[in-house]
Amino acid sequence: TWAVHFSSVAEFIFAMGLVWQYAGVTGNEKWKGVTWGMLPSHASGVAACTYHFFFNAAAVSFLVTLQAGLTFLGNTTLAIACYRLA
């Protein structure tokens, strides 16, 4: 399962890089906002991996709440960024 967790976080960074490059190629800087909108979702994935790295220990259980908040924030910021593209 670690391969899946790590590859998901890594591929999200790769996708963010592609979107950033697309902004440069198209000349539409609003695409960079999509990359920024994706950042909280990436941080959510890092929080989840960190929680699992410590074997779901009670001492780091706050990471579950942090992950939920970052997921909500990421969904919101990405929706706003995509709305700006429309």
Side-chain angles (χ1 to χ4, degrees), residues 31-46:
W31 281 99
K32 289 185 178 180
V34 174
T35 301
W36 287 111
M38 295 170 76
L39 192 58
S41 296
H42 168 69
S44 172
V46 172

Side-chain angles (χ1 to χ4, degrees), residues 3-18 38 42:
V4 173
H5 284 302
F6 181 77
S7 65
S8 294
V9 171
E11 94 184 359
F12 211 77
I13 285 188
F14 180 70
M16 290 168 67
L18 288 176
M38 295 170 76
H42 168 69

Side-chain angles (χ1 to χ4, degrees), residues 67-82:
Q67 181 197 8
L70 287 169
T71 299
F72 176 76
L73 179 63
N75 290 345
T76 303
T77 56
L78 192 52
I80 292 168
C82 290

Side-chain angles (χ1 to χ4, degrees), residues 20-77:
W20 192 271
Q21 289 178 354
Y22 187 74
V25 170
T26 62
N28 186 349
E29 295 294 309
K30 290 180 182 177
W31 281 99
K32 289 185 178 180
V34 174
T35 301
W36 287 111
M38 295 170 76
L39 192 58
S41 296
H42 168 69
S44 172
V46 172
C49 286
T50 303
Y51 180 64
H52 294 316
F53 179 79
F54 290 105
F55 302 104
N56 306 342
V60 292
S61 63
F62 69 92
L63 289 171
V64 175
T65 305
L66 178 65
Q67 181 197 8
L70 287 169
T71 299
F72 176 76
L73 179 63
N75 290 345
T76 303
T77 56

